[in-house]
Amino acid sequence: NIDGLSANTLTPDTLSYYLVFSGNRASTGVAGTPYGVEAGNNQAASDLWRTPITSASPAAAMGACASVAIPAPHFLHRNQTAFNLGRTAPAGAAVAPGQDNIDAVELDVLDFTGDDVHDTDVYFSLDAASPNLVFSGADIYFSPAGAGGFAVFSFPAQMGLLMADEIDSLVIWDRMALGAANPGVDLALFSLAPGSATLAMIGASPADIFVTDFAGGFCVFANSGQLGLIGADNVDGLDVLP
């Protein structure tokens, strides 16, 4: 099961970005927010959501090890009707439980030729129950363009994570020696799945977004409330728009 998914983000990590994210079925959002309303309609997990632009870039947030500011409110970026997902209904319409759940988000085109083989480099994580897991749910894997398989891009310790963690959403900037994490050069935004050991250690939420430069540590990039979510919610998919 692919948890996090990213192409190599070609726009610089020194830009400020809009965050595009999805939440899981159990996420309720802050009461009264756009996410909260659609969660009450059993729609939110099938939609994509977008924050206003962040006050600082991923690179700046990592350099200062300080979270960015994101003004409220968040917005509905794409309603599920754009994807023809289960329980498809216009925004604002209440539907019965049983919605689809967007588990990973990548807004770039991966397959230009339509042959079901990715034409760009792809980075991903796997959940802890996946049979192809190499070491940990906090591994990041790299699959070069084409049908050539995959290899480990980074190990948990390179991000300051533990073997008992699980990366749940992912945005990658791979800038040197493609396919291997270069400390202090490459960058990633990510969230951790519920039950990850690091979340318990630092008192963080599965709806918090973190940033790492693969030099053995990470910093908080944005907290759950800045996305219109509560601490018990979970960010399932993540991408950025410049």
Side-chain angles (χ1 to χ4, degrees):
N1 178 45
I2 289 178
D3 256 358
L5 176 69
S6 182
N8 189 4
T9 307
L10 298 181
T11 48
D13 57 17
T14 53
L15 297 180
S16 293
Y17 285 93
Y18 303 92
L19 304 181
V20 177
F21 66 95
S22 64
N24 70 352
R25 293 184 186 93
S27 296
T28 64
V30 174
T33 63
Y35 192 102
V37 171
E38 287 299 81
N41 290 330
N42 293 313
Q43 280 211 48
S46 297
D47 297 332
L48 290 180
W49 302 89
R50 176 172 55 85
T51 70
I53 198 165
T54 61
S55 64
S57 69
M62 185 68 217
C65 203
S67 59
V68 298
I70 305 176
H74 58 269
F75 302 91
L76 178 64
H77 180 72
R78 290 290 185 272
N79 177 256
Q80 60 193 269
T81 53
F83 316 117
N84 197 31
L85 296 180
R87 303 294 181 191
T88 294
V95 297
Q99 62 191 318
D100 283 334
N101 178 52
I102 298 174
D103 205 16
V105 174
E106 173 50 61
L107 299 175
D108 290 342
V109 176
L110 302 181
D111 176 16
F112 299 109
T113 56
D115 61 356
D116 297 326
V117 176
H118 55 292
D119 300 313
T120 64
D121 295 338
V122 172
Y123 306 77
F124 63 94
S125 64
L126 297 173
D127 77 11
S130 294
N132 274 313
L133 197 74
V134 176
F135 294 107
S136 164
D139 296 338
I140 297 175
Y141 303 105
F142 171 75
S143 181
F150 69 93
V152 176
F153 174 80
S154 67
F155 298 103
Q158 292 172 268
M159 302 173 69
L161 300 177
L162 303 171
M163 294 290 286
D165 290 329
E166 188 174 309
I167 294 171
D168 207 10
S169 67
L170 183 65
V171 184
I172 287 280
W173 286 264
D174 187 6
R175 291 296 178 257
M176 186 174 71
L178 295 182
N182 298 280
V185 177
D186 298 334
L187 205 76
L189 298 180
F190 66 97
S191 66
L192 294 174
S196 292
T198 291
L199 293 179
M201 284 182 58
I202 66 174
S205 162
D208 293 339
I209 307 299
F210 307 101
V211 60
T212 183
D213 63 358
F214 300 99
F218 66 90
C219 301
V220 176
F221 181 77
N223 62 49
S224 58
Q226 293 175 288
L227 277 62
L229 303 175
I230 64 173
D233 290 338
N234 178 37
V235 169
D236 252 0
L238 181 69
D239 204 357
V240 294
L241 285 174

